[in-house]
Every structure is written in structure tokens, then in C-alpha cells.
Amino acid sequence: MTNNAVAAVADRYRQPMTLGNAVLDIHPIAMVAGITALIVVGLASAGWIVPLAVSALFVGIAYLAGRGPSYLVTILKLWIAVGLILFALRALLVKGETVLVPLGPIAITREGIENGLRFTTAVMVICGGVTLFFAIVSMRRLMLALERIGVSPRVSYVILASFQAITDLGATARVVLDAQKARGIETEGNVFVRARAFFPVLAPVFLTAMTATEERAIALDARAFNNPGRHTSLLNLKPLTAVDTVLVVLSLVVAAAAVTGGILGWF
Amino acid sequence: MASSRFATFMRGYGRLTIFMIPIGIAINFVGGQIALLLKLPVYLDSIGTILVGATCGGLPGALVGLISNGINSITSPPTFAFAILNVAFGLLAGYFGRIGVFRTWWKTLLSVLPFAFIGGFCGALITIWVFDGLAVGGGAIVVGALTAMGMDLNTANFAAQLPMDVLDKVPTVLIVYAIIKGIPKRLLVKLPLGRVYLGQPNPRAKKPVATTATQP
């Protein structure tokens, strides 16, 4: 690499990290406030239309952030896997006066459907907000923002290392599963046969992971991880901008208005 | 401020505990994934919680449980309502580890009962309180079927969840037992509760625990 190229790379790390999208670049803390306010709006309403509208708004925000398609897939899966079951069970089992469809011992009632719609949309607005947040804000940026406001780097380490370890251990476990299959351990057949395969697959994977922690501890010690002073980081986060501040204030106002409105029965 | 407090708290557990927590979390997830892959009718998603609780102590175990459910709720937010169960598994495993339950296989097997009681009984209570008895997951269908057969909704929750949890915890504690048996001695000595498994009734271990209790 020429000197110029090196300087360019170094310069990139001196600049605050930007993801090239106005929504993605919102400070993680402001994002927490904004999404929480929207969830509060959804929950404060007594009906099911407002939470549904907020859920739709979340999809819109995801598209603005350029994460639309993947978010839509995740949230639709959640609606089918969680929402539909929650709704169907309530519609079928909640007792009511107005019977719409009698089905032997149980019946679909108007009350059941209303209760189901309300509860399902309320749960799904929380699901939508949480998944949206993690679709937009990467764990790295979130932890960096939290470290800046005084959360211990050890907490960041635990969270970030967990995600890494889940990926790594998952991959190793699959490799060991194949290896043990090749050595003749039955992974098909009845439940007991399959359950017995569980031990020779997982025990070595978990043991290796546990013994590797020792080396990891030494590696981090060598990088002064346990130094009580302020840690530096490779990436910089933009400080809170005016837009972020406005967003936080606006969120507080909207959330407070929604709670008041919900209590007074405006919507 | 907050950072130094967390640091002092973790120091009481020795250097390695902080590195064991992510591993415990990963074990929770991978256990669940492999159970799915082998098409086993159980979750097996609390192995890491109990393992870290049994080797490092109750609070690290509880932390593993809490963060595991937190990560799970990124993709499936209703799981967070059940985080308290995983926290309780960690705390209980820490206590059981301290009194040496995981040293013998039959005591380990007996520990299934309290674990399953927490998972099944308290799990059913949460389902009833938070989701009015109609939560999601494999159990919900069973609950629905039992109710349709004329069983009371609350009874149906207990009837469905208790046996399922016993079935889930038997392989869980057995693999925890097997792994603890396999941990090399040079690692065990560095773990907060390692002395239990090395057969040393060491009074020295009492000290760091007492200091952490008074610190916060």
C-alpha cells in the first residue's frame, strides 16, 4: 500500500462511523426513545387499529432505513408464528355472549374476536418495535453508545462475545455432529436413539469452548482489557446531533400525550 | 461509577467468570439448535445457565439466563416474559453447585424435580398471569387441545407444562453432569466453584463471596 492509501484508511477511522443513511445514522439512544414512544402509542390505545397502524409505520421506517425487505420477512414470520396462534386461541377460547360460529363444545364469539385482535395487535406492536430496533441498530453501535454513557466495557464484551460465540459454537456443533455421524453414531431413528446422539455431539463442543476461555482471558489481558482507565475504540460514534435531540424530546412528548390520551379515552 | 461497580462485582468471581458467561449463553442456544436438528421433543435451552451456575455461582448463572432470554426476545419478544425462570435456574444451580449436588449422578438426577417445578409450575403461572393462559409455543397447542376437551384453562396449563419440563430437564442436568466431569482440573481450579468438584472444602472460597455481598 502506498502512503496515501494508508493515510486514507487511517483517516476513515478518525471520522465518526456513518452508514450512509439518515435513519441508520440516528444515534442508538435516540432510536430507543423514538421506538419506545411509538410502542407506547400503540399500547395506550384501547382498540386494535392504532397498534396495527403503528406496526405498519414500523415497516415504513424499515424501508426508509433500507432494511425493508428483510424486516418485512422477519415480522411477517412473527405475525404468522406468534400473532396467528395468539389470535386463534383467544378467538376460540374466550367465552362471550354473541356466538358467531358454534363449533361443538367451543364457539367463536364476537367478544373472543375483539379480545383476540386487541391482545394480538398489542403483543405484535411490541414485537415489531423490538425487531425493528435490532434490524436498524447493530449490536456494535448500541454497545458503543452505551459505553459512552458509562456502561462497563465488560458488559459490552459479554454481550458482543455472546453473539460471536453463538455463531462459532453453532458451526462447531454442526461439524462435530457430522463427524460423529461419520463414526457411526445414530442420529436417525426413534427418540431414544436420537437423544443418545445428543451427548457425544455437545459434550466435546462445550468442553472445548470452556477450556478456550483461559486463552481468551490471557489474550484480552495482553490488550489491557482489565485496565481500569478509559478504553479507546477503533470506531467512533457520532455524538448526539440536533436531529437526535429533537427526536428524543418529541418521543417524550408523544409518549406522554399517548398515555394521557389513553387514560382519558381519546382513542 | 457503574463500570467500576460491575468490575468489583465481577472481580469477586475471579478473572475467568466473565469469559464463561458468553460461553454459557452460546451453550443455551446451541443446545436448543441441536435439539431441533435431532428433532428431539424438548427445548434443552437452559444447559448453559445451569452449567455456569454450577461452576461459577448463582449470580453469573442468573446473568447467563437473563441475557439468553434477552437475546432470544430480539426475534421473539414474548420470550422475555419467561426470563425470570431462566434467572431462577441460574440461581438454583449456583446453590446446588455450592452444596455439591452435581458431584454425584443420582443427586444430579434428583435436582430435575426442583428445576422442573420452576420451569413447569412457575412457567404455567407466568403464562396464566401475563398471557391469560394462552401463550405461544409448542405447549400452547396442547393447552388448547386440553381446554377443548373440557379441561379448565389453568389446570390445562399445569397439566401440559409440568411433564414437558421434567422431560426437558432430565437430559439437561445429565449433560451438565457429564460436562463438569470432563472439565480439566487446571480449568476447574480457576472457576469459583471448582473446589467443590475437586473435593476441597476450601474455606478460602468463602472470602471473595462475602466481599462481593457487601460491595454493592
Side-chain angles (χ1 to χ4, degrees), chain B residues 118-210:
Chain B
I118 295 180
F121 188 80
C122 304
L125 278 182
I126 293 179
T127 317
I128 290 166
W129 286 335
V130 181
F131 298 98
D132 288 346
L134 300 171
V136 281
I141 311 288
V142 183
V143 171
L146 287 175
T147 328
M149 278 159 57
M151 199 184 260
D152 171 54
L153 187 58
N154 293 354
T155 326
N157 263 297
F158 291 116
Q161 295 203 24
L162 262 175
M164 268 176 69
D165 236 77
V166 173
L167 223 67
D168 181 46
K169 291 300 172 298
V170 171
T172 302
V173 294
L174 284 181
I175 197 156
V176 167
Y177 174 76
I179 290 172
I180 290 176
K181 276 263 170 268
I183 298 177
K185 276 183 186 158
R186 69 188 175 92
L187 179 63
L188 267 183
V189 288
K190 293 184 182 168
L191 295 175
L193 291 182
R195 62 182 171 87
V196 175
Y197 306 102
L198 293 170
Q200 297 170 339
N202 200 335
R204 197 174 48 123
K206 265 272 178 265
K207 223 173 71 191
V209 174

Side-chain angles (χ1 to χ4, degrees), chain A residues 75-99:
Chain A
I75 198 72
L76 282 181
K77 267 190 206 153
L78 265 180
W79 271 93
I80 293 167
V82 180
L84 214 60
I85 294 177
L86 277 181
F87 175 71
L89 281 174
R90 267 162 203 272
L92 285 173
L93 300 176
V94 171
K95 304 271 183 299
E97 299 289 308
T98 344
V99 176

